[in-house]
Amino acid sequence: MALETVSTTRSHGGVQGVYRHASTATGTPMVFSVFTPPQAADGAKCPVVWYLSGLTCTHANVTEKGEFRRWAAELGLVIICPDTSPRGEGVADDAGWDLGQGAGFYVDATEAPWAPHFRMWTYVTVELPALVAAHFPVDMERQGITGHSMGGHGALTVALRHAGRFRSVSAFAPIVAPTQVPWGHKALPAYLGDDKDLWRRHDAVALIEDGARLPDLLVDQGTADGFLDGQLRPQLLADACARAGIPLTLRLQEGYDHSYYFISSFMEDHLRWHAARLAG
């Protein structure tokens, strides 16, 4: 699994790197970023937190705007930020920003024209973890996962379908029930066809209703988020967790929107949540 270093930059005593490789899952080059904290300077393995980004984003949005490095360095966390979809000439796309390149929804597409390259589920759950384990000082027994919006959807569904892999799970303004909102009504049939059983496997609320469980969960949501009522609907998650007995900390942050100003404001809280569960 050859890995090309695009850049490395010293930050908070650690190293912020950007890397490229040829993905067998997507059949395209893929770029991701990794922050290794100072505790890993001598090759010591550190716990890892995966961050899955939202619609229109690449790895760069959170890497440049997420303001996570100070806290990751203090807490000794490796932070991994993959792209949201395959990209490049010959990769299917759509005129809308909520489908196609930048909007992979962390699924393995089965439908034309998406199926040849849009295999982000396999990429983030199988291929990239193996690559990271081979090349970086990570303790794969201590993994956490988080994400924003579409990436929050991905973080929740990945964790719910991989029981025991992640010791900690959180999300910023996640799409909690894509089978019940317009973004999902557009993306899921486009990528997965008309089989609604497949849709449920990529819906956190449906997965919980069908028996999947998490030890506990932290979600932050801005009250001034323009997508709150139409696309995100966190109360659906709260209700599902209450019925399933999943401890959910849902914090409605007054006046915050959907942007990285919101994410960076609460990034410290999320990384401390993860660090407490990844310790030892």
Side-chain angles (χ1 to χ4, degrees), residues 3-72:
L3 189 66
E4 173 191 352
T5 299
V6 177
S7 66
T8 56
T9 305
R10 191 78 170 163
S11 180
H12 294 280
V15 175
Q16 178 63 66
V18 177
Y19 306 91
R20 181 186 294 114
H21 70 110
S23 168
T24 58
T26 68
T28 67
M30 294 295 290
V31 178
F32 63 99
S33 74
V34 178
F35 176 74
T36 52
Q39 292 86 340
D42 296 324
K45 292 187 176 182
C46 294
V48 56
V49 175
W50 299 84
Y51 179 96
L52 303 186
S53 291
L55 289 163
T56 76
C57 293
T58 71
H59 70 284
N61 296 75
V62 67
T63 304
E64 296 171 3
K65 301 176 185 178
E67 300 181 17
F68 57 79
R69 279 171 289 273
R70 175 183 175 184
W71 315 114

Side-chain angles (χ1 to χ4, degrees), residues 69-149:
R69 279 171 289 273
R70 175 183 175 184
W71 315 114
E74 175 188 326
L75 298 167
L77 299 174
V78 174
I79 310 295
I80 303 173
C81 308
D83 200 348
T84 50
S85 75
R87 300 175 191 270
E89 187 176 352
V91 177
D93 204 2
D94 186 84
W97 55 271
D98 52 357
L99 190 71
Q101 295 186 36
F105 273 84
Y106 302 99
V107 303
D108 281 352
T110 59
E111 302 299 301
W114 314 106
H117 300 294
F118 279 71
R119 297 183 54 79
M120 289 302 294
W121 181 267
T122 294
Y123 181 70
V124 299
T125 64
V126 179
E127 183 177 22
L128 189 56
L131 186 71
V132 165
H135 289 276
F136 296 94
V138 291
D139 182 352
M140 298 299 276
E141 297 300 314
R142 294 188 289 163
Q143 296 186 72
I145 191 167
T146 187
H148 171 233
S149 193

Side-chain angles (χ1 to χ4, degrees), residues 154-172:
L156 294 178
T157 57
V158 167
L160 284 163
R161 287 177 54 187
H162 291 82
R165 178 183 293 192
F166 301 98
R167 293 192 188 182
S168 56
V169 185
S170 74
F172 299 88

